[in-house]
Amino acid sequence: MRNWFRCGCSWSQKKLAGRCWEPLTVVPGVRGGNSYLHSHMLAVRKGYRNGGLGRRIKLFQREEALERGIELIEWTFDPLEIKNAYLNIEKLGAIVRRYTINQYGITTSPLQGGLPTDRLIAEWWLTSRRVEELLANGSAPRPEIVVRVPVPAQIYEWKASPSTRARAQQVQEGNREQFLKAFAEGMAVLGYERDGEGNGTFLLGRWDEGWSYAGK
C-alpha cells in the first residue's frame, strides 16, 4: 500500500500562519467497504486566529479529498470548546452522531483542565446537500431542533482554576449524558448557536439526508 502526505499551509510575511497535517494512503480508512479520511490535526498560530484561516485550510482539504473520490472526512473535537464547535458545525457543515468518553485519557494539557478527554466525532459529508448549500449560500438547511445542549462561556475559567474545576466537570458530565441519550435515539448535532455573552449551544435534531457508512 503506497503512502503519501498532504500538507495545507498558509504563510504570512514568511511565517507559517496555519497548517494541517494529513497522512493519507490509497485507502485512508475503510468503514462498511467505503473509504474515508480521518483528519488528525489543524493548527493556526495565535496571531492569525479569528480571521477564517482555519476554515480556508479545511476547504483546501475538502478539495484534495474530492479529487481522490473521498466523500467523508472525520475528526474529533472537545465539546467544551465553543469556537471550535461553531467552526465545525456552522462554518463547515459537519454533523455529529457519536461521542467518546475520555478518548485520550487524562492529560496535563492546560486546555483540558484535568478533565476527562471526552470528544465528539465530526462527520463532514463533502457532497451532502447540507454542505453544498452552506458553501453556496452561507447557511445550511436547519431541520426542527429537538434537543439543546448548552456550554457556558465561563467554562474556560472554571477549567483553569482548581477551585472551580468541579463546576466544569458538572457541565461536562451533564452534557455527556444528554449527548449519549440523544445519539442513542437517532439524533445528530445539526447546528450551533453563540450569544452575545459568548455562550454556546449545540442544536440536535433528526438529519434527513441519511449519509452513513455504518453497516454497508
Side-chain angles (χ1 to χ4, degrees):
M1 184 177 290
R2 178 174 59 90
N3 291 321
W4 58 276
F5 295 82
R6 297 295 303 180
C7 180
C9 300
S10 178
W11 297 83
S12 176
Q13 298 179 346
K14 298 183 180 180
K15 291 183 179 180
L16 185 63
R19 55 189 174 183
C20 182
W21 291 276
E22 289 310 327
L24 292 174
T25 59
V26 174
V27 182
V30 177
R31 183 179 301 124
N34 298 275
S35 60
Y36 70 99
L37 170 63
H38 180 88
S39 179
H40 294 282
M41 184 180 294
L42 184 150
V44 176
R45 292 173 67 97
K46 187 174 181 179
Y48 300 94
R49 295 172 189 169
N50 302 317
L53 179 57
R55 182 175 187 266
R56 294 199 297 273
I57 293 174
K58 293 299 287 186
L59 293 178
F60 167 81
Q61 184 187 60
R62 177 178 182 266
E63 293 176 6
E64 290 287 311
L66 289 174
E67 286 180 6
R68 290 160 176 82
I70 296 172
E71 295 184 311
L72 171 64
I73 301 177
E74 294 185 346
W75 61 90
T76 63
F77 67 99
D78 187 340
L80 300 181
E81 290 290 328
I82 294 171
K83 286 185 179 180
N84 197 15
Y86 186 81
L87 167 67
N88 294 335
I89 307 304
E90 290 293 326
K91 293 298 186 180
L92 296 175
I95 68 160
V96 180
R97 294 181 284 194
R98 287 172 287 162
Y99 188 105
T100 60
I101 300 173
N102 201 24
Q103 178 161 331
Y104 305 110
I106 302 297
T107 77
T108 59
S109 168
L111 294 176
Q112 204 60 42
L115 298 183
T117 51
D118 288 16
R119 293 293 183 265
L120 291 169
I121 301 174
E123 301 174 34
W124 199 19
W125 294 95
L126 306 181
T127 59
S128 64
R129 185 176 74 254
R130 170 183 172 82
V131 170
E132 291 189 337
E133 287 191 17
L134 185 149
L135 296 181
N137 307 318
S139 62
R142 183 67 57 82
E144 178 185 0
I145 300 305
V146 180
V147 175
R148 294 173 177 264
V149 180
V151 182
Q154 299 95 326
I155 194 69
Y156 305 106
E157 299 174 21
W158 295 344
K159 286 194 298 181
S161 173
S163 64
T164 56
R165 196 160 293 152
R167 298 180 69 180
Q169 188 163 2
Q170 288 175 357
V171 172
Q172 184 187 60
E173 291 173 352
N175 287 3
R176 176 196 296 163
E177 184 177 347
Q178 290 189 74
F179 279 124
L180 292 174
K181 183 176 184 295
F183 294 156
E185 294 173 353
M187 283 184 272
V189 175
L190 300 173
Y192 197 86
E193 292 179 344
R194 295 188 300 179
D195 64 21
E197 298 179 348
N199 302 299
T201 304
F202 289 92
L203 309 176
L204 289 81
R206 300 194 181 279
W207 195 35
D208 60 3
E209 292 193 58
W211 287 80
S212 175
Y213 287 163
K216 289 187 178 180

